[in-house]
Amino acid sequence: MHSPPLTPAATHDRLQLQARPIRSMEIRDKLSATGSHVADPAAMTPQQSPPRSTTAISLKDEGLYHSTAAGPSSRPTSSHNKAATLSPQPHRPKPSFQIGPVESIPSREGSPLGTPVNRSPTNSGSTTPWYPPSRPFTPAGEIDDPYARSKRPPQNKNPQEIEARFIFGRNKDGTLASSNGDQKPEKRHSHLSLHSLVKHKDSSTSLASVAKQSSMAELKRFFRSHKRSASPSGNLHSSRSSTFPLTAPFGDDHGLQKRYGKFGRVLGSGAGGSVRLMKRSSDGVTFAVKEFRAKHNYESEKEYAKKVTAEFCIGSTLHHGNIVETLDIVQEKGKWYEVMEYCPYDLFATVMTGKMSREEVGCCFLQILNGVTYLHAMGLAHRDLKLDNVVINEHGILKIIDFGSASVFRYPFESGIVEACGIVGSDPYLAPEVCNEIKYDPQPADIWSLAIIFCCMSLRRFPWKAPRLSDKSFKLFCARPDEPQQMQSHVSALPTSKAHQQRPGSSSKSHEIMTPAHGSHGHSDEHENNAQNLYPSSSSRDGELKGPIRLLRLLPRESRAVIGKMLELEPKKRATIEDIWQDPWVSSSHICRQDEDGTVHKSANHMHTLEGQVGGSAHSSRKSTK
Ligand SMILES: Nc1ncnc2c1ncn2[C@@H]1O[C@H](COP(=O)(O)OP(=O)(O)OP(=O)(O)O)[C@@H](O)[C@H]1O
């Protein structure tokens, strides 16, 4: 049986948690070369908030995204007007949903987070759909909307063929004018053009301080005034105050180090670049700074900048206790740097300490679920959820990182789902449809990955190397339990993954990490014994055990139902985010959380293991195989 074993340190140096990471950046590069969807800021219009909600998040506020301001695809409808009234929102958005005190919970009368639950039709007879309270609200599309995205012709990318009235010049007074002479008022809520930033490649360029400006025209004015008012050293100082003390919006030649301190040790690296520590001596604040990988020969400067800034644009738009704060992007000497909040612990390494209690594992799972709930409510899917992409702060609060593979699946005022395409993610965490279908809904794919994360945290090994029938562990999971030799019809119908065979840069190289200390302090004996018996190679007694139960029986009993539903092979039948929150185990679990103002609410029934240091030896050896 070829399955990724979790081996005690006493017997092996390395744990073969076989993760074959499909490097997001590489995939993105290839996908963009073929015109497939990638996180492209220019093409994004993420979710907007309800006008009535004070907890709303509007990406327009950030000035980063908008629907096309003018042109054949713009929507001169009431919906469009509605969009205009939604933004700008005056202040930085609050968290997507409020969460109550964690100690008050374990009743089905309350949400897992301690706030009242809108009961679902299934448990109350009410028709109110259940969801964590005050999530970002996605305005629905109108039925038969003639301007719906799906009904619009694709935008013409050929500049020669764009109608003159849609080509804008500038009047003497600085206002925008179309080339046919029509004077147009400056749009107040047009988006921040990333391309305009690319032009400034020779200087150190920071977006953070301009992210709140909602107009490209304002941005351009900003550039102009910057030129005029910059001191001889080229240094500008903004009076902006922030949780994270950002300073100059556009710095001088060595703005990065001036603003964020000196480079320290490497925290980790991947296909997208490498992340290093930076510590600022003036106030002792530590940052994690990602230096993006160099431009490939086959991509233009513009394409490269677009890919790099897409990750920043998504990250900087998200504000939630379980998502890392993305603070700034700086271009300096031809390199791009993304500045983030620093979290000292790594979930992968923490899991591998073997010290996590069952309650702690549950809390970690739910914290990630919390972050993913927020993300999905914003119309964004992460598409690379894995242990490696979760870091932990000093309070035991988990933060999702790496939005380099994220995609928009829902646009405001649109009811349809924008499917994702391409095999993006890491092999063991991939949902089967990601490997087998050309296009797929990225939401269920994220939910599958979340379930795999839970399995990894509980078992300290991957259930399989990849969700392919050529993988014996996965094949056994897919088999019908009562008919040992026969595969379920829908499983046997799974095609051999053509897409997978074509995957660029794929390799069968193992993803290895250091072995954890032997023993699991928090897990029951039953659980431990089961973990040892997971694979026929270690136990012929269970060699014939087929079906999901083969995996699920190894998990804590109370988690089996929901994890089983999250690992449903058919994406349409898979548990949704709402289903997960309604599960009795989930809704009665204790969860730690951090408010946006930094206040931490710790659950009373567990402690968090704070040992798996980011960039520690286990991590480094794992990363070195990438
Ligand atoms: N904010 C942070 N605080 C602490 N460590 C971090 C932070 N961000 C990233 N890291 C570390 O750096 C590693 C690489 O970061 P990241 O996943 O963003 O890079 P990447 O090149 O996009 O990786 P991938 O190849 O998985 O896409 C992470 O696994 C983590 O260990």
Side-chain angles (χ1 to χ4, degrees):
M1 171 62 74
H2 303 289
S3 52
L6 180 133
T7 320
T11 51
H12 296 283
D13 275 351
R14 283 166 181 258
L15 165 70
Q16 294 176 347
L17 263 172
Q18 304 278 8
R20 182 167 61 182
I22 299 164
R23 309 321 309 158
S24 324
M25 210 74 171
E26 290 167 14
I27 295 285
R28 288 197 301 272
D29 300 345
K30 297 283 193 278
L31 287 178
S32 62
T34 58
S36 304
H37 174 79
V38 290
D40 176 354
M44 287 176 181
T45 311
Q47 302 306 294
Q48 297 187 12
S49 317
R52 59 184 170 76
S53 170
T54 53
T55 59
I57 293 181
S58 164
L59 301 197
K60 277 193 171 180
D61 294 351
E62 306 297 327
L64 297 173
Y65 309 103
H66 84 133
S67 53
T68 312
S73 63
S74 67
R75 311 177 61 199
T77 61
S78 57
S79 299
H80 186 71
N81 294 337
K82 261 186 272 171
T85 62
L86 291 183
S87 76
Q89 306 242 353
H91 300 297
R92 178 181 165 147
K94 295 232 165 62
S96 63
F97 47 86
Q98 298 297 328
I99 343 184
V102 269
E103 282 76 16
S104 59
I105 317 182
S107 143
R108 296 230 212 134
E109 298 304 307
S111 79
L113 312 174
T115 45
V117 170
N118 299 325
R119 289 183 170 189
S120 69
T122 46
N123 64 14
S124 70
S126 152
T127 51
T128 313
W130 187 92
Y131 217 86
S134 59
R135 62 185 268 251
F137 166 80
T138 306
E142 290 165 24
I143 301 167
D144 296 331
D145 178 0
Y147 297 101
R149 196 169 175 273
S150 55
K151 294 187 183 150
R152 285 181 237 142
Q155 219 174 343
N156 193 341
K157 298 256 167 70
N158 183 354
Q160 312 297 328
E161 291 170 20
I162 294 175
E163 287 181 50
R165 65 196 171 108
F166 296 124
I167 301 170
F168 294 93
R170 190 164 287 279
N171 297 318
K172 281 180 188 156
D173 63 356
T175 56
L176 291 178
S178 65
S179 60
N180 65 358
D182 290 349
Q183 290 214 355
K184 302 267 177 188
E186 277 191 12
K187 287 204 73 73
R188 292 231 26 102
H189 306 300
S190 58
H191 69 158
L192 166 67
S193 161
L194 297 169
H195 302 167
S196 67
L197 291 161
V198 178
K199 288 180 193 154
H200 297 261
K201 65 185 178 199
D202 294 332
S203 64
S204 170
T205 307
S206 160
L207 281 183
S209 305
V210 293
K212 305 251 178 222
Q213 302 212 25
S214 58
S215 152
M216 188 161 93
E218 283 170 15
L219 179 71
K220 284 181 176 167
R221 270 206 303 276
F222 185 88
F223 272 102
R224 279 202 302 273
S225 66
H226 164 50
K227 270 188 205 155
R228 280 196 299 269
S229 63
S231 67
S233 69
N235 200 4
L236 264 183
H237 293 284
S238 132
S239 59
R240 174 189 161 141
S241 65
S242 160
T243 323
F244 294 91
L246 304 180
T247 54
F250 296 97
D252 54 18
D253 286 345
H254 26 267
L256 183 72
Q257 298 209 25
K258 200 159 194 170
R259 273 174 276 159
Y260 300 106
K262 292 227 175 310
F263 275 116
R265 68 188 169 93
V266 174
L267 300 171
S269 59
S274 65
V275 180
R276 289 170 73 179
L277 205 67
M278 283 193 98
K279 189 162 183 180
R280 190 160 56 194
S281 55
S282 57
D283 55 7
V285 178
T286 308
F287 303 91
V289 178
K290 181 170 184 172
E291 179 185 324
F292 286 100
R293 53 107 178 134
K295 183 179 89 58
H296 294 309
N297 289 337
Y298 56 79
E299 60 194 350
S300 70
E301 191 75 48
K302 194 167 155 182
E303 284 167 345
Y304 170 65
K306 214 163 146 182
K307 285 171 195 163
V308 165
T309 48
E311 185 168 338
F312 167 77
C313 286
I314 292 175
S316 62
T317 301
L318 302 169
H319 304 288
H320 184 271
N322 295 116
I323 292 179
V324 86
E325 278 290 323
T326 301
L327 306 168
D328 201 357
I329 190 165
V330 176
Q331 191 192 29
E332 193 171 270
K333 296 185 181 129
K335 288 180 177 173
W336 287 90
Y337 301 89
E338 182 184 59
V339 183
M340 292 171 279
E341 145 192 31
Y342 167 65
C343 293
Y345 304 103
D346 173 326
L347 181 58
F348 200 109
T350 303
V351 168
M352 300 321 296
T353 63
K355 294 182 178 179
M356 292 172 82
S357 70
R358 186 181 289 208
E359 291 74 21
E360 184 184 358
V361 165
C363 177
C364 290
F365 169 66
L366 294 177
Q367 286 195 48
I368 304 170
L369 174 66
N370 231 336
V372 174
T373 302
Y374 167 82
L375 206 58
H376 284 194
M378 295 283 283
L380 291 161
H382 187 281
R383 301 215 295 162
D384 194 13
L385 290 172
K386 54 180 178 178
L387 291 176
D388 319 50
N389 279 340
V390 179
V391 289
I392 309 173
N393 75 7
E394 61 280 16
H395 305 294
I397 301 297
L398 275 68
K399 312 263 178 183
I400 299 171
I401 58 169
D402 193 1
F403 296 94
S405 306
S407 70
V408 176
F409 64 79
R410 193 189 299 117
Y411 289 81
F413 305 109
E414 300 286 346
S415 35
I417 293 293
V418 181
E419 291 184 309
C421 55
I423 303 179
V424 177
S426 296
D427 274 357
Y429 300 90
L430 293 179
E433 70 271 16
V434 175
C435 297
N436 297 312
E437 305 295 335
I438 301 296
K439 286 188 162 192
Y440 53 88
D441 181 347
Q443 297 171 88
D446 268 359
I447 286 168
W448 176 285
S449 305
L450 192 53
I452 299 291
I453 288 177
F454 181 77
C455 295
C456 292
M457 289 194 292
S458 299
L459 307 173
R460 284 184 291 129
R461 68 192 304 162
F462 290 117
W464 40 78
K465 288 181 189 173
R468 277 177 250 130
L469 294 179
S470 57
D471 183 304
K472 202 166 176 188
S473 289
F474 182 67
K475 189 173 174 179
L476 287 167
F477 172 84
C478 297
R480 199 190 296 272
D482 53 347
E483 295 173 49
Q485 301 307 320
Q486 202 180 325
M487 303 300 283
Q488 284 177 354
S489 56
H490 67 284
V491 172
S492 50
L494 285 173
T496 309
S497 167
K498 287 195 193 95
H500 200 276
Q501 290 161 6
Q502 293 164 359
R503 184 172 60 198
S506 69
S507 103
S508 59
K509 206 170 181 184
S510 294
H511 183 156
E512 296 188 335
I513 66 163
M514 295 298 288
T515 324
H518 187 43
S520 174
H521 300 235
H523 296 168
S524 68
D525 289 346
E526 173 206 14
H527 189 175
E528 275 305 297
N529 292 336
N530 282 339
Q532 286 163 13
N533 292 336
L534 177 59
Y535 300 100
S537 57
S538 62
S539 170
S540 56
R541 179 166 62 87
D542 287 340
E544 294 309 307
L545 198 54
K546 305 280 197 298
I549 189 65
R550 178 183 169 74
L551 170 65
L552 298 178
R553 74 199 168 91
L554 306 177
L555 302 175
R557 194 175 298 276
E558 60 278 12
S559 66
R560 291 175 196 166
V562 70
I563 299 297
K565 286 183 211 152
M566 292 170 76
L567 292 177
E568 173 61 55
L569 294 164
E570 168 64 52
K572 287 202 163 63
K573 293 187 193 157
R574 200 168 296 154
T576 61
I577 293 269
E578 290 90 340
D579 296 334
I580 303 169
W581 282 112
Q582 285 180 59
D583 174 80
W585 167 63
V586 170
S587 64
S588 64
S589 291
H590 291 226
I591 177 171
C592 303
R593 67 183 168 92
Q594 184 168 28
D595 296 338
E596 208 196 0
D597 66 3
T599 314
V600 175
H601 304 263
K602 290 193 180 178
S603 170
N605 78 342
H606 64 269
M607 301 279 284
H608 279 269
T609 307
L610 299 177
E611 288 185 22
Q613 262 212 334
V614 150
S617 57
H619 203 259
S620 310
S621 75
R622 173 167 50 86
K623 292 289 180 186
S624 67
T625 63
K626 286 185 177 182

